[in-house]
């Protein structure tokens, strides 16, 4: 029997007659979890979140409870800020927008609880500039929540005050990186900060302790309060708890967004049972499992996955790509990551060099330009893959790509360095024959309709 | 000078921690960054964006090093090696040295294979889009990109793509030209402008490899400290309009000097070739100017090469002027001065004189009649800017005051009245133009029977003078001055004086001898010694003991700093 979706966050989204206004939300039991939360004290909620083992849904998969625990309410004397990261820009990722557009009060409720738990009185939703309507929807939802007494002064008759502001980005992917986001919120260029010393939990917004959480992460808080952390932790697998919004795009029959218990289904089940299989009955070639920066996985690869058996002993299994269960730990063990939940599927007709050129174009365009390796390396890699695609490859290109990427990853200010290096490293390593063919300089990718326009390198033309 | 950051000088009471640098254990102040720590043990971690006086942003990645901490056993106690020192757990990922702050037991590797590979990578990235204008670039010869390329870079390029094109010759301010293609985006200039000068007009536009330094729309980078960015820019992106294309830096002789454009006395390096001064740059002195100087001071040297520069001793008899040798003119000046009684003589001294010169002027005054010789100096005031510039625009007000040559300018009016009244008939003017600086009119000077001037430039006062004695500029002589904060500092000779122009102290010494006989002084050192014997503030000092960074005088000196 195909695995069933477990709709926790998407419970109401796309349901007939469900609207984003507060009346509809209240009719469906909205803000009851906030009312419950307000009867608890903050540290108790933080403890529940720790118990829930919730991991961040923004990309890094960091423990949410641990992140909150970095701020010690007994020692901290500064105001604490909370920022909802609604910058959703990772290619292949389109989950947060469903929440924002279709169920904004779910986000607000989760956010208000998170703020209350961490003694936050001022919070921001940093939303990507392109979500123009989304920002309006959130503004409206905030106004409604205020009218109903769930936001503003003396929330729901308690002594707790909270203001939430929506801040629109101006169209840069790097504003999703939490310290770049903070700089941007402060009115500066979104140059990510060096860590140390500027960990958000210590020196965040206006140099005060700051919690940055993804939209989906914050929605989960509401459900953790309702169920209790222990109950929540029963969903999914240990250390991989809760549900996960998965965004499937690319060469499948039925792309879309889905919600499953973490680790409840395999890649094969997702593609074949949920998404109707590979488009046109073609064969699978590769999958990027966690947004464009995740390392690509190739059909036919074998992975050795260690897991803990119920009796506590470790067992190692060798599995194929379609057997990978969709959870943080398994994808990491397979050498990639669950990332942002954006699953990009490529079929046998895809030219992997062209796919990489597309990704490289994105990262070269989005590098903030602050630190040397990423600034210079991202454009260099793009130029090389453009050349390869244009049939102007040189024999040394695959090795060049690899070494350039190696010189970026691990040496930059922010994880964008890895984000732009990992695709290159993994594509070149896993599809050597395709790169070698292009490197002979003879193969120009047959122009596909609707793919990126390539700038032929003038230097090469001259040569 | 108060810097917003002083990463190189942590407070003296900072506790020490044990750290291992390239295998050697040593003690360092806690929290010191690895670049500075390495420097203290004679190791160099190359860096572009890091500057000890600026905020740390860690963007160039040139300073990547390996770091580690003590290996802990199960009971959280450090594991010791055979020699009893903690074993190190190395972190696989390199860290930037500029933002690695020392903690107890920390270990760093400044030159391991991984570190070398990181540097090669960064150098390659910095060069792929660099225009390599070196043959026509003013920075060549003192360019960190060139230097580190030789030391840490690759010997070949793997880049076959077209380079990114950016604006060149951008006029961003009164004194600075920007070449965006040469910029390595270290943001030093931006941070300096924003945090040190509070003139936040520089910033980056565009993204990624297209990132472009620019001045904010409608703004100019014109503040009085703008040229410091030319110094701290590691490459030739920011160049001084004044120095651009004037001289290849490797031909410049460097002489330690001090700026004489205000009482702060910023320490400088004078860059000269043969008899021409090409540029002045700040020389680090934490007690005075840190690593900076103002643009006015920096560029305030061109007058020494002015066509109006006096290069020949001249005597005037009516309309006739006669060039004379020093051996001829000095006895004539002495002879003429001797014809007046003390009450008939006046002296206008200058806050631009060195201590030694002022001392000799005081000696001459003593020979001529001491207190009866009405004497004062010409005060010159501007506005302090709270950064470096002092309100007092004379470099050595303290010195002339200490030698008894100043009445704060209050006696200048008396002097003028006495001349107008015919009481004072002989006047000696040192390094001042009374018409321009003191506002006198020519008629007063016409009343004099004798006018002797010692100075650098032809002006209405020298036009009227009976004797014109061409002296030496700050770059052409030795001696000392006391800055506004009471610090005794030295001038050094970078270039020879033009023509027959001569060291002022020599001229004054000879004149004194001609007036009152020799006293066995032959060198500037001896003049200083004689002065130190008479002036308690200098007791026990010699010219050499002052040192390159000067010394704070013990004697109570009226304190005046730029920040007041
Ligand atoms: C280049 C880059 C882009 C990112 N973009 C986003 C984003 O659009 N949305 C997001 O939630 N997190 C993004 N992140 C991750 C954030 O930095 C941060 O880890 C996250 O918001 C934390 O929330 P979580 O713990 O709830 O996942 C990005 C990270 C990097 C390095
Ligand atoms: S890694 Fe890239 S995106 Fe991140 S700070 Fe450096 S240049 Fe900017
Ligand atoms: S900045 Fe340095 S490397 Fe660049 S052109 Fe000038 S001298 Fe050459
Ligand atoms: S102009 Fe010079 S100092 Fe300014 S950012 Fe560029 S390289 Fe750095
Ligand atoms: S000097 Fe450390 S990153 Fe630039």
């Amino acid at each position: 029997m195909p695995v069933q979706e477990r709709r926790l966050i998407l419970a109401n989204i796309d349901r007939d007659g469900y609207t984003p206004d507060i009346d509809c939300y209240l009719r469906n039991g909205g803000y009851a979890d906030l009312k419950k939360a307000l009867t608890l004290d903050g540290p108790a909620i933080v403890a529940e979140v720790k118990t829930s083992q919730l991991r961040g849904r923004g990309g890094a998969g960091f423990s949410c409870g641990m992140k909150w625990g970095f701020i010690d309410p007994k020692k901290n004397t500064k105001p604490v800020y909370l920022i909802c990261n609604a910058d959703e820009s990772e290619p292949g990722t389109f989950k947060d927008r469903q929440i924002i557009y279709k169920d904004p009060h779910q986000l607000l409720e989760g956010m208000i609880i998170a703020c209350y738990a961490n003694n936050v009185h001022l919070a921001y939703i940093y939303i990507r500039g392109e979500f123009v309507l989304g920002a309006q929807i959130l503004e409206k939802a905030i106004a409604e929540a205020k009218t109903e007494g769930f936001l503003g002064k003396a929330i729901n008759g308690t002594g707790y005050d909270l203001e939430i502001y929506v801040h629109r980005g101006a169209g840069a992917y790097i504003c999703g990186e939490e310290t770049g986001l903070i700089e941007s919120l402060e009115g500066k260029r979104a140059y990510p900060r060096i860590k140390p010393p500027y960990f958000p939990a210590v020196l965040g917004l206006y140099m005060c302790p700051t919690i940055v959480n993804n939209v989906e992460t914050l929605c989960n808080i509401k459900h953790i309060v309702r169920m209790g952390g222990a109950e929540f932790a029963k969903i999914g697998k240990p250390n991989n708890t809760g549900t996960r919004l998965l965004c499937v795009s690319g060469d499948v029959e039925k792309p879309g967004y889905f919600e499953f218990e973490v680790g409840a289904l395999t890649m094969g089940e997702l593609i074949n049972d949920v998404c109707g299989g590979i488009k046109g009955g073609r064969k699978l070639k590769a999958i990027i499992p966690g947004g464009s920066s995740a390392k690509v996985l190739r059909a036919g690869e074998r992975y050795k996955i260690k897991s803990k058996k119920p009796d506590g002993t470790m067992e190692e299994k060798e599995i194929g790509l379609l057997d990978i269960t969709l959870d943080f730990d398994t994808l990491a063990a397979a050498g990639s990551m669950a990332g942002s939940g954006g699953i990009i599927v490529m079929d046998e007709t895809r030219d992997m060099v062209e796919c990489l050129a597309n990704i490289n174009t994105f990262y070269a365009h989005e590098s903030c330009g602050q630190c040397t390796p990423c600034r210079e390396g991202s454009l260099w890699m793009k130029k090389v893959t453009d050349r390869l695609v244009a049939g102007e490859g040189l024999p040394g290109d695959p090795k060049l790509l690899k070494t350039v990427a190696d010189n970026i990853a691990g040496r930059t200010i922010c994880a964008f360095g890895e984000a732009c290096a990992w695709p290159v490293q993994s594509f070149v390593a896993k599809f050597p024959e395709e790169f070698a063919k292009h490197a002979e300089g003879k193969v120009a990718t047959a122009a596909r309709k609707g793919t990126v326009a390539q700038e032929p390198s003038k230097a090469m033309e001259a040569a | 000078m108060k810097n917003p950051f002083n990463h190189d000088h942590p407070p003296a009471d900072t506790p020490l921690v044990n750290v291992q640098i390239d295998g050697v254990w040593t003690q360092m102040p806690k929290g010191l960054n690895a670049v500075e720590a390495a420097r203290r043990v004679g190791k160099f971690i190359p860096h572009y964006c890091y500057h000890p006086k600026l905020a740390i942003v860690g963007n160039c990645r040139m300073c990547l090093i390996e770091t580690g901490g003590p290996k802990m056993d199960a009971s959280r106690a450090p594991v010791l090696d055979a020699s009893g020192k903690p074993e190190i757990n190395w972190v696989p990922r390199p860290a930037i040295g500029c933002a690695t702050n020392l903690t107890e037991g920390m270990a760093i590797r400044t030159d391991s294979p991984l570190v070398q590979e990181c540097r090669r990578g960064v150098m390659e990235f910095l060069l792929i889009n660099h225009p390599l204008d070196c043959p026509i670039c003013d920075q060549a010869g003192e360019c960190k990109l060139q230097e580190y390329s030789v030391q840490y870079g690759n010997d070949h390029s793997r880049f076959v793509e077209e380079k990114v094109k950016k604006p060149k010759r951008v006029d961003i301010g009164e004194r600075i030209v920007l070449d965006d293609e040469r910029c390595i985006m270290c943001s030093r200039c931006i941070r300096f402008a924003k945090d040190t000068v509070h003139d936040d007009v520089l910033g980056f536009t565009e993204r990624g490899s297209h990132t472009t330094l620019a001045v904010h729309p409608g703004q100019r980078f014109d503040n009085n400290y703008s040229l410091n960015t030319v110094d701290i820019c590691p490459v030739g992106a920011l160049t001084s309009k004044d120095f651009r294309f004037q001289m290849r830096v490797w031909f410049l002789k460097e002489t330690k000097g001090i700026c004489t454009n205000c009482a702060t006395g910023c320490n400088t390096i004078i860059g000269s070739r043969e008899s021409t001064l090409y540029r002045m740059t700040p020389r680090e002195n934490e007690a005075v100017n840190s690593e900076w100087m103002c643009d006015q001071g920096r560029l305030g040297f061109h007058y020494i090469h002015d066509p109006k520069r006096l290069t020949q001793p001249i005597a005037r008899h009516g309309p006739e002027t006669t060039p004379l040798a020093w051996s001829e003119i000095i006895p004539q000046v002495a002879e003429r001065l001797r014809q007046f009684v003390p009450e008939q003589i006046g002296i206008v001294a200058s806050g631009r004189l060195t201590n030694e010169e002022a001392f000799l002027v005081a000696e001459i005054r003593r020979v001529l009649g001491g207190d009866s010789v009405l004497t004062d100096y010409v005060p010159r005031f501007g506005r302090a800017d709270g950064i470096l510039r002092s309100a007092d625009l004379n470099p050595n007000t303290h010195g002339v005051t200490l030698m008894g040559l100043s009445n704060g300018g209050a006696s200048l009016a008396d002097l003028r009245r006495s001349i107008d009244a015919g009481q004072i008939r002989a006047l000696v003017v040192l390094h001042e133009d009374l018409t321009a600086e003191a506002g006198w009119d020519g008629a007063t000077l016409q009343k004099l029977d004798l006018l002797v001037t010692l100075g650098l430039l032809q002006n209405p006062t020298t036009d009227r003078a009976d004797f014109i004695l061409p002296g030496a500029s700050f770059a052409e002589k030795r001696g000392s001055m006391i800055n506004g904060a009471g610090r005794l500092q030295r001038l050094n000779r970078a270039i020879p004086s033009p023509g027959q122009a001569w060291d002022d102290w020599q001229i004054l010494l000879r004149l004194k001898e001609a007036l009152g006989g020799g006293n066995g002084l032959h060198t500037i050192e001896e003049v200083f010694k004689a002065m130190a014997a008479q002036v308690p503030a200098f007791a026990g000092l010699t010219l050499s003991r002052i040192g390159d960074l000067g010394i704070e005088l013990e004697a109570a000196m009226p304190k005046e700093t730029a920040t007041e």
Side-chain angles (χ1 to χ4, degrees):
Chain A
M1 196 191 79
V3 190
Q4 291 301 307
E5 271 196 84
R6 165 102 189 233
R7 291 202 156 212
L8 198 63
I9 287 168
L10 298 182
N12 294 317
I13 287 173
D14 300 325
R15 206 155 54 73
D16 268 352
Y18 191 80
T19 50
D21 52 276
I22 198 164
D23 293 338
C24 179
Y25 191 66
L26 289 171
R27 275 200 307 279
N28 286 279
Y31 289 107
D33 302 328
L34 172 62
K35 288 179 191 157
K36 176 178 174 192
L38 292 171
T39 66
L40 308 169
D41 70 344
I45 299 173
V46 176
E48 287 301 320
V49 171
K50 283 185 181 157
T51 309
S52 78
Q53 298 184 31
L54 174 68
R55 291 171 69 169
R57 305 302 199 229
F62 193 80
S63 156
C64 184
M66 197 188 289
K67 182 183 280 190
W68 292 8
F70 288 144
I71 302 168
D72 184 343
K74 290 200 201 73
K75 288 200 194 124
N76 174 47
T77 54
K78 294 182 187 172
V80 180
Y81 296 105
L82 185 140
I83 302 168
C84 169
N85 190 343
D87 195 56
E88 186 166 72
S89 314
E90 175 85 1
T93 316
F94 41 88
K95 60 188 182 72
D96 297 340
R97 71 188 301 171
Q98 310 308 328
I99 300 167
I100 294 163
Y101 280 71
K102 298 171 183 170
D103 200 8
H105 283 287
Q106 180 182 199
L107 170 60
L108 287 186
E109 187 175 4
M111 212 177 148
I112 298 165
I113 298 171
C115 289
Y116 172 74
N118 292 289
N119 197 23
V120 172
H121 299 282
L122 188 53
Y124 296 89
I125 302 174
Y126 189 104
I127 185 165
R128 71 177 284 182
E130 292 85 342
F131 290 170
V132 182
L133 191 58
Q136 289 166 3
I137 291 169
L138 285 171
E139 296 275 16
K140 177 161 173 276
I142 288 171
E144 288 172 340
K146 275 194 163 173
T147 311
E148 295 293 331
F150 298 126
L151 255 182
K153 291 258 172 254
I155 289 176
N156 207 36
T158 65
Y160 177 62
D161 306 335
L162 171 67
E163 293 294 339
I164 295 180
Y165 294 101
V166 176
H167 185 98
R168 287 184 57 207
Y173 169 67
I174 199 58
C175 291
E177 196 280 341
E178 54 190 8
T179 59
L181 185 158
I182 288 170
E183 284 279 299
S184 170
L185 199 51
E186 288 183 3
K188 301 178 233 161
R189 265 170 89 81
Y191 274 169
R193 296 173 175 172
I194 48 173
K195 293 146 273 197
Y198 302 106
F199 294 108
V202 188
L203 298 168
L205 185 63
Y206 308 122
M207 293 297 132
C208 293
T210 302
I211 294 167
V212 183
N213 273 131
N214 170 260
V215 171
E216 184 187 345
T217 313
L218 288 168
C219 290
N220 274 303
I221 302 304
K222 161 190 154 77
H223 302 287
I224 291 170
V225 164
R226 187 182 67 249
M227 304 179 197
E231 203 56 34
F232 183 92
K234 288 183 191 156
I235 310 174
K237 308 204 292 197
N239 199 35
N240 296 266
T241 60
T243 64
R244 189 91 215 241
L245 300 187
L246 302 175
C247 315
V248 186
S249 61
D251 303 323
V252 292
E253 287 292 350
K254 287 187 282 176
Y257 49 92
F258 313 95
E259 185 175 6
F260 287 95
E261 284 194 31
V262 181
L265 83 171
T266 64
M267 196 69 97
E269 288 167 326
L270 178 70
I271 290 173
N272 294 319
D273 303 347
V274 180
C275 297
I278 302 294
K279 223 182 212 162
R282 291 191 289 266
K283 281 218 293 268
L284 173 68
K285 186 181 222 173
I287 298 173
I288 300 172
S292 60
S293 49
K295 288 190 173 175
V296 69
L297 302 173
R298 179 177 178 156
E301 275 177 341
R302 307 295 292 170
Y303 311 98
K304 289 202 170 81
I305 310 286
K306 282 200 185 99
S307 61
K308 224 187 217 164
K309 286 197 293 194
D311 64 3
T313 58
M314 297 301 286
E315 103 185 303
E316 192 182 82
K317 266 198 276 183
E318 203 189 86
I319 60 171
L321 171 55
L322 294 181
D323 306 323
I324 291 176
T325 54
L326 294 167
D327 59 73
F328 294 98
D329 293 341
T330 309
L331 280 162
S336 187
M337 62 173 182
S340 62
I343 295 166
I344 305 167
V345 182
M346 286 155 281
D347 72 28
E348 57 184 339
T349 66
R350 294 289 166 180
D351 176 336
M352 295 310 278
V353 178
E354 190 193 357
C355 292
L356 181 63
N358 191 1
I359 294 175
N360 284 353
T361 301
F362 174 78
Y363 287 111
H365 186 251
E366 295 297 338
S367 162
C368 83
Q370 189 186 192
C371 64
T372 308
C374 163
R375 176 183 66 232
E376 304 300 339
S378 57
L379 183 62
W380 191 1
M381 296 188 302
K382 173 203 183 286
K383 286 180 173 174
V384 174
T385 45
D386 280 358
R387 241 186 336 94
L388 288 168
V389 167
E392 295 168 358
L394 295 169
D397 284 343
K399 179 161 176 246
L400 177 67
L401 282 171
K402 179 195 180 298
T403 51
V404 171
D406 290 349
N407 281 341
I408 302 172
R411 303 185 189 172
T412 55
I413 291 179
C414 83
F416 186 109
E418 284 77 33
C420 72
W422 284 344
V424 175
Q425 289 171 331
S426 58
F427 272 69
V428 174
K430 295 187 175 189
F431 299 92
E433 70 290 356
E434 294 194 34
F435 282 84
K437 218 155 69 190
H438 277 274
E440 284 164 18
K442 298 193 192 83
V443 187
T445 303
R448 258 176 198 277
K449 275 198 194 101
T451 55
V452 260
Q454 308 292 345
E455 305 166 9
S457 156
K458 284 180 206 124
M460 289 313 296
E461 273 169 10
Chain B
M1 168 74 204
K2 234 184 104 46
N3 276 302
F5 302 92
N6 274 305
H7 307 297
D8 49 347
H9 297 294
D13 57 354
T14 310
L16 298 180
V17 289
N18 295 296
V19 293
Q20 195 207 66
I21 303 176
D22 293 337
V24 180
W25 286 94
T26 171
Q27 292 201 316
M28 291 276 172
K30 184 174 182 218
L32 191 72
N33 70 57
V35 174
E36 294 299 338
R39 213 196 304 260
R40 288 179 181 210
V41 294
K43 305 258 176 183
F44 183 69
I45 298 177
H47 52 274
Y48 289 109
C49 69
Y50 170 70
H51 187 285
K53 309 299 175 192
L54 302 178
I56 292 176
V57 290
N59 61 32
C60 76
R61 318 306 284 181
M62 189 63 191
C63 67
L64 285 167
I65 52 166
E66 280 190 78
T67 61
K71 202 178 269 174
M72 298 294 184
D73 64 17
S75 62
R76 306 255 337 125
V79 180
L80 301 181
D81 64 14
S83 64
K85 294 282 188 197
E87 268 187 46
I88 304 300
N89 221 350
W90 292 98
V91 180
R93 190 186 165 102
I96 47 173
C98 62
T100 295
N101 300 103
L102 301 183
T103 53
E104 177 61 37
M106 185 181 268
I108 63 171
R109 286 182 181 144
T110 70
D111 205 23
S112 64
L114 172 63
V115 171
Q116 291 173 8
E117 186 200 307
C118 288
R119 290 173 184 162
R120 268 197 303 276
V122 171
M123 281 314 304
E124 178 176 53
F125 285 134
L126 284 174
L127 288 170
I128 56 173
N129 284 304
H130 196 80
L132 299 177
D133 289 337
C134 309
I136 51 150
C137 177
D138 279 295
Q139 192 80 2
E142 54 183 7
C143 173
K144 294 286 178 227
L145 203 54
Q146 285 185 328
E147 242 173 76
Y148 296 171
S149 182
V150 171
Q151 234 170 324
Y152 311 108
N154 292 315
D155 56 4
H156 65 283
S157 169
R158 304 191 291 166
F159 188 76
V160 299
E161 324 301 329
E162 198 175 349
K163 293 189 186 233
V164 173
K165 292 270 176 296
K166 288 187 197 171
K168 293 181 90 74
R169 285 180 303 281
V170 190
D171 183 10
I172 58 168
E174 187 74 22
R175 293 173 287 281
I176 298 201
V177 180
L178 162 69
D179 184 319
D180 263 310
E181 288 187 344
R182 293 181 195 160
C183 172
I184 58 164
M185 288 146 273
C186 73
S187 82
R188 277 182 168 193
C189 55
I190 300 174
R191 286 173 279 146
F192 175 81
K194 174 169 170 278
D195 299 331
T196 313
V197 195
H198 311 294
D199 183 30
D200 192 7
V201 297
L202 297 177
F204 289 125
T205 63
E206 310 302 325
R207 277 199 314 238
S209 193
H210 300 280
T211 301
T212 305
L213 180 73
V215 64
H216 291 195
Q219 305 266 1
R220 299 274 291 164
F221 186 48
D222 274 351
N223 69 61
N224 195 22
Y225 293 85
S226 67
L227 286 168
N228 291 291
T229 60
V230 174
D231 302 333
I232 58 174
C233 177
V235 290
L238 297 172
T239 50
S240 154
K241 287 184 188 172
D242 188 63
F243 181 65
R244 233 164 115 76
F245 306 134
Q246 296 304 304
M247 183 50 61
R248 308 275 25 185
V249 296
W250 51 84
F251 290 126
L252 292 180
K253 182 180 87 172
E254 297 195 333
T255 308
K256 296 185 174 93
I258 56 174
C259 174
T260 55
N261 284 284
C262 87
T264 302
C266 290
N267 290 208
T268 61
I269 290 173
I270 299 172
S272 62
R273 184 179 184 190
E274 301 192 342
S275 53
T276 306
L277 199 170
Y278 285 94
R279 72 171 180 187
M280 288 206 297
T281 47
R283 175 166 58 92
E284 185 179 350
N285 187 341
E286 293 306 334
V288 183
N289 54 306
S290 186
E291 305 191 19
W292 324 114
M293 70 188 295
C294 79
D295 291 2
Q296 267 171 303
R298 181 191 299 252
L299 299 181
F301 69 85
H302 289 288
Y303 69 89
I304 72 173
H305 297 313
D306 195 288
K308 286 210 167 97
R309 182 72 193 265
L310 300 165
T311 59
Q312 173 66 50
I314 288 171
R316 193 191 317 267
H317 302 282
E320 295 292 305
T321 59
T322 322
L324 292 175
W326 285 107
S327 57
E328 296 168 316
I329 199 166
I330 285 177
Q332 288 189 18
V333 173
E335 174 60 32
R336 290 286 305 278
L337 277 171
R338 247 188 251 118
Q339 290 162 6
F340 299 91
V341 298
E343 290 73 17
Q344 290 176 317
I345 308 176
I347 297 178
V348 178
S350 172
R352 295 158 171 168
L353 297 177
T354 64
N355 295 324
E356 294 75 5
E357 291 157 10
F359 169 70
L360 290 167
V361 172
E363 290 284 284
I364 289 168
R365 183 183 182 221
R366 194 170 49 74
V367 176
L368 290 174
D371 287 351
S372 308
V373 177
L374 191 52
T375 305
D376 205 347
Y377 92 124
V378 181
R380 203 176 272 111
F381 283 98
R383 201 187 283 166
D385 66 1
I387 300 176
L388 279 174
R389 222 166 146 75
S390 163
D392 185 354
L393 302 183
N394 278 318
N396 196 22
T397 302
H398 283 329
V400 286
T401 308
L402 204 57
M403 301 306 151
L405 301 179
S406 153
N407 190 26
S411 299
L412 283 178
D414 293 344
L415 200 55
R416 183 175 177 184
R417 250 190 318 270
S418 301
I419 297 169
D420 286 337
Q423 282 153 8
I424 287 182
R425 292 169 46 210
L427 188 66
V428 178
V429 181
L430 304 149
H431 285 279
E432 295 293 355
D433 172 16
L434 292 172
T435 57
E437 309 270 6
W440 293 16
D441 57 34
T444 300
L445 298 178
Q446 288 303 337
K447 287 238 160 77
L448 290 163
D449 291 334
L450 173 63
L451 177 58
V452 179
T453 62
L454 175 103
L456 301 179
L457 300 181
Q458 183 226 327
N459 58 42
T461 307
T462 63
D463 286 347
R464 156 66 193 90
D466 300 290
F467 292 99
I468 301 170
L469 309 178
S473 76
F474 71 95
E476 297 156 13
K477 64 189 176 191
R478 298 177 63 203
S480 63
M481 291 187 173
I482 305 167
N483 80 355
R487 191 176 192 83
L488 182 61
Q489 308 195 98
R490 280 194 317 209
L491 296 174
N492 288 301
R493 169 190 235 141
I495 52 172
S497 296
Q500 299 298 306
W502 204 16
D503 271 12
D504 301 70
W505 70 268
Q506 295 269 25
I507 302 169
L508 293 165
L509 183 65
R510 295 313 132 103
L511 181 59
K512 186 199 158 255
E513 284 171 359
L515 284 166
N519 53 3
L521 303 180
H522 300 289
T523 63
I524 184 86
E525 281 83 5
E526 286 164 357
V527 175
F528 190 93
K529 218 188 260 170
M531 171 174 75
Q534 281 190 31
V535 182
F538 299 144
L541 289 175
T542 64
L543 202 50
S544 70
R545 219 171 277 168
I546 296 173
D548 290 337
L549 298 179
I551 45 175
E552 203 166 326
L553 288 180
E554 301 274 326
M557 203 50 76
K559 292 270 159 42
E560 188 263 2
T561 60
T563 34
E564 273 162 17

